[in-house]
Amino acid sequence: MSLTGHLLIGAADVPATEGTMKALNPATNTLIEPEFAFGGRAQVDQAATLADAAFDSYSHTSLAERAAFLESIADNLNAAREELAARAALETGLPQAQLEGEAARAATQFRQFAEVVRKGRFLQLAIDPAQPDRQPRPRMDHRLQKVAIGPVAIFGASNFPISYSVAGGDTASALAAGATVILKAHNAHPGASEIQARAIRKAVQMHGLHEGVFSMVRGGGNAIGEALVDHPLIKAVTFTGSEVGGMALYRRAQLRPDPIPVFTEMTSVNPTFILPEALEARGAEIGDGFVERMLVNVGQACLCPSILIAVEGEGLQALRSAMINRVSAAPARTMLTPGIHGSYVKGLEAMESVGANLVAVGAPADGQLEGRSALLEVDGQRLLSEPALAHEVFGPAALLVTVNDEEELLAVARSFKGQLSAAIHLEDRDLDLARRLLPILERRTGRIVVNAFAHPQEVTFATVHGGPFPATSDSRFTSVGMTSIERFLRPVAYQGFPDALLPEVLREGNPLGLPRSIDGQ
């Protein structure tokens, strides 16, 4: 595919109106052709107007039609996999083989959501039949389904250039719900974004859908993101990135004349707790495994395990030694952007400035944007007295926290703010302590893992990728997994309708054979 660098607004390729940019190859710190267009409020308005015009027809496509559309997107992504991965590798410094796997995951998500759509359970169909003879007054027939919330704006993420980007889970779940999508491409990987956007637009055209079902815009600075959040035709926003960026969008959305939901995924250190018997039995194994997972993606993953808490005792020295050995042997690797690299360096400096001891570093960096791994250590009291130590440092760094006893371990657990995940390593004789720890973690995270690490994560019906603030802005929803579709749905009740006027999914006789509750049964 020949990259044009244009914005893709409906069926149109739109040239720059607000300047241009080139992608950066972070491995060589050089710019890559071609130039990519920036747009502004006028282009957001064009895309939003199209998305609104497309919404009624697209949200009323049959389940079979919508599922087939999602599968065509998956087919198009698979057809472009090698080209997409090669371009993403140039723009991120990540291995091409890893990115081919990420592209395959993105295609798989669209197929998974196609099955969700076909089965229809996401509609949560409910029927409470009329009771004309009920006393003291009759009950009318009531029927309920979930419908799409409206056109949505999705902000692509920087750290996963495919599976959290243009063709990521947010786009797949929004389209599955029946929402039309405007995607704000991340400037860290504009070429990869264009390839994905063209795969989606091709599917729109193949199925004869309204051109406004999908658009992709791009801009410099904050103006285009603010324009998306401000636009009165946009009814929801998703964002993956920093707490500062996410909360700026969230607050802006609440100041609209008609406030809208902003579903953010922002920050998490994914604490790991090693209970005493597990530490004694498997300290070295856990320490090595923890650092191995921390180093994945050069530590640039929302589920990167960053803080490990262990009680002083047998096995602690083996744990510490294993972590030091793994960190010391780790080569420096290219980070995604100059901004992320700079923030990582400043984050390490900030941790040391508030009392963290640097106990191991990886091989020296050769490239300007390479991240050197680091292991820092503090005791539990220092962590409790310096909340900044529990802040995310986005990169290949880990903090080992040693606590004096079980009570201090529980106090440290209580000190954490909301997290995407937490992990517990335990043996049978640790169960009593685990039972005390569990309710503390349940209040602070959306996913708890036992005898494994938070990363990687499966994409399933039981997946939860969310948690209390500041992990997300709304802990009721997940941004990964099949139930992420619920972010883009709202309930509508139909009362006293003649059968011919009802949506097909709610008609008598259940013509589509979908799961429905009748009087709660």
Side-chain angles (χ1 to χ4, degrees):
M1 180 188 300
S2 177
L3 298 174
T4 67
H6 289 151
L7 309 177
L8 274 59
I9 301 180
D13 282 27
V14 178
T17 61
E18 305 288 334
T20 62
M21 63 162 286
K22 290 184 180 180
L24 175 73
N25 181 335
T28 61
N29 204 24
T30 57
L31 297 176
I32 321 167
E33 296 291 341
E35 293 192 345
F36 291 89
F38 283 155
R41 285 189 175 268
Q43 287 65 50
V44 167
D45 183 64
Q46 182 183 354
T49 301
L50 282 172
D52 186 67
F55 179 75
D56 285 344
S57 62
Y58 179 66
S59 64
H60 284 80
T61 52
S62 72
L63 299 183
E65 289 171 329
R66 200 182 309 164
F69 165 56
L70 296 173
E71 288 171 338
S72 291
I73 295 175
D75 290 341
N76 294 344
L77 289 171
N78 277 331
R81 184 189 305 175
E82 290 186 10
E83 178 189 15
L84 173 57
R87 180 70 193 196
L90 282 177
E91 295 177 337
T92 64
L94 297 172
Q96 182 171 337
Q98 174 182 324
L99 291 165
E100 287 193 25
E102 192 176 321
R105 171 182 167 175
T108 297
Q109 285 188 101
F110 278 91
R111 294 195 193 282
Q112 288 174 304
F113 276 109
E115 283 304 301
V116 169
V117 170
R118 278 199 179 92
K119 291 175 181 176
R121 284 183 291 192
F122 75 100
L123 298 171
Q124 297 183 33
L125 303 172
I127 299 174
D128 296 322
Q131 296 178 359
D133 298 326
R134 190 186 69 172
Q135 295 298 327
R137 63 183 178 86
R139 183 177 80 180
M140 294 182 71
D141 182 272
H142 290 66
R143 302 184 181 224
L144 178 146
Q145 71 164 334
K146 292 289 187 76
V147 302
I149 198 170
V152 302
I154 293 173
F155 286 66
S158 64
N159 57 332
F160 287 93
I162 305 171
S163 60
Y164 276 80
S165 185
V166 177
D170 285 354
T171 302
S173 55
L175 291 174
T180 52
V181 170
I182 303 174
L183 193 295
K184 180 191 173 293
H186 200 286
N187 292 341
H189 41 261
S193 295
E194 181 178 334
I195 294 169
Q196 295 168 73
R198 290 191 180 277
I200 296 173
R201 186 167 77 175
K202 182 179 178 181
V204 171
Q205 295 167 341
M206 288 169 55
H207 288 266
L209 300 174
H210 190 293
E211 63 175 312
V213 166
F214 176 82
S215 294
M216 182 191 73
V217 297
R218 184 188 303 106
N222 298 326
I224 198 161
E226 292 171 350
L228 280 166
V229 174
D230 291 346
H231 201 286
L233 296 178
I234 297 298
K235 299 305 177 185
V237 173
T238 73
F239 171 85
T240 299
S242 70
E243 182 180 344
V244 171
M247 290 311 298
L249 296 178
Y250 177 86
R251 294 186 183 102
R252 193 175 188 97
Q254 306 319 302
L255 294 175
R256 288 173 37 140
D258 58 330
I260 59 173
V262 177
F263 303 108
T264 64
E265 181 208 307
M266 296 179 292
T267 180
S268 184
V269 297
N270 308 299
T272 297
F273 297 84
I274 307 181
L275 305 192
E277 297 297 331
L279 179 64
E280 182 175 352
R282 298 181 280 116
E285 175 188 342
I286 295 169
D288 183 74
F290 178 92
V291 175
E292 188 270 330
R293 298 318 303 171
M294 177 272 286
L295 293 172
V296 170
N297 239 47
V298 204
Q300 300 162 118
C302 42
L303 290 174
C304 173
S306 302
I307 298 182
L308 187 149
I309 303 98
V311 180
E312 289 274 3
E314 291 293 326
L316 180 61
Q317 188 53 49
L319 170 85
R320 182 185 286 114
S321 296
M323 295 179 74
I324 289 172
N325 291 340
R326 173 71 81 154
V327 167
S328 300
R333 291 175 55 200
T334 302
M335 300 190 76
L336 291 165
T337 69
I340 289 174
H341 178 268
S343 295
Y344 173 63
V345 173
K346 290 179 181 178
L348 291 179
E349 293 172 350
M351 291 183 74
E352 289 191 82
S353 73
V354 292
N357 298 313
L358 184 65
V359 295
V361 293
D366 293 325
Q368 187 173 346
L369 298 181
E370 287 185 346
R372 189 180 191 185
S373 59
L375 176 63
L376 302 101
E377 184 174 1
V378 295
D379 60 35
Q381 289 304 308
R382 172 63 67 176
L383 182 72
L384 291 170
S385 64
E386 292 287 354
L389 289 168
H391 290 177
E392 181 182 39
V393 176
F394 198 62
L399 178 67
L400 173 61
V401 180
T402 58
V403 297
N404 290 319
D405 52 34
E406 295 180 1
E407 295 305 319
E408 192 170 72
L409 180 141
L410 296 175
V412 166
R414 292 187 189 97
S415 73
F416 284 110
K417 295 182 179 180
Q419 303 292 325
L420 293 172
S421 69
I424 308 171
H425 289 262
L426 56 81
E427 296 288 315
D428 287 347
R429 287 185 292 176
D430 290 314
L431 288 176
D432 286 343
L433 176 56
R435 291 187 183 98
R436 298 178 66 197
L437 177 60
L438 186 58
I440 298 172
L441 298 184
E442 287 173 337
R443 294 178 61 178
R444 288 163 176 81
T445 184
R447 185 164 69 105
I448 304 168
V449 182
V450 171
N451 288 340
F453 299 100
H455 185 67
Q457 176 177 249
E458 296 291 335
V459 181
T460 69
F461 282 94
T463 295
V464 174
H465 191 66
F469 182 84
T472 72
S473 56
D474 194 330
S475 63
R476 296 172 298 172
F477 298 96
T478 176
S479 62
V480 177
M482 302 303 96
T483 58
S484 63
I485 195 173
E486 294 173 2
R487 294 172 295 169
F488 307 110
L489 298 167
R490 63 180 182 83
V492 173
Y494 304 81
Q495 184 174 337
F497 269 52
D499 198 57
L501 188 58
L502 281 167
E504 187 177 19
V505 296
L506 288 173
R507 290 177 187 166
E508 284 298 314
N510 196 6
L512 300 182
L514 299 177
R516 313 193 300 188
S517 76
I518 311 294
D519 266 337
Q521 301 300 316

